Amino acid sequence: MGVQMHEDRYGVVSTSWTPAGTAAGPRTASQTTQMLGLKTSDVILRVDPPSTTAGLAVISGRVSAADTLEVMFGNFSTGALTSASGTYRVHVFRAENVRDSVMAALD
């Protein structure tokens, strides 16, 4: 995600994934997949599925444990839905220089 030390980093990484189905809605459901290199301090800004599924949305993403991406899906239909399998693009922010970032925000 970069080569400089102690610099905040932003990157877009990809993972191949086949999510399980989401029960009949409306409801939300979280699912996890392995994504090597993620740290628990990383912030997931956005998760882009390979295609859209009518009535189903990616609500949020987070790192639930080291190397583990958790994605919350929202099913806004009355039937069970499954998100498309394929390559998911994940937008990640990693704060490397936390002290300086906090101090700058407070000034």
Side-chain angles (χ1 to χ4, degrees), residues 2-106:
V3 294
Q4 296 178 328
M5 296 296 291
H6 305 295
E7 295 292 327
D8 294 340
R9 299 177 187 184
Y10 169 82
V12 180
V13 291
S14 298
T15 187
S16 182
W17 187 28
T18 303
T22 303
R27 71 173 53 236
T28 59
S30 295
Q31 298 182 38
T32 60
T33 186
Q34 183 181 43
M35 192 165 207
L36 297 177
L38 287 179
K39 296 180 178 182
T40 55
S41 58
D42 290 343
V43 177
I44 305 302
L45 302 173
R46 190 170 89 203
V47 178
D48 297 327
S51 62
T52 58
T53 302
L56 190 67
V58 172
I59 303 296
S60 64
R62 72 181 191 101
V63 181
S64 59
D67 301 324
T68 305
L69 172 68
E70 180 179 320
V71 176
M72 180 178 290
F73 293 95
N75 181 349
F76 300 99
S77 75
T78 56
L81 296 174
T82 301
S83 186
S85 62
T87 302
Y88 281 70
R89 293 172 35 101
V90 181
H91 299 251
V92 182
F93 174 77
R94 179 173 292 167
E96 294 285 346
N97 200 353
V98 176
R99 181 187 174 281
D100 289 346
S101 297
V102 170
M103 294 307 290
L106 295 175

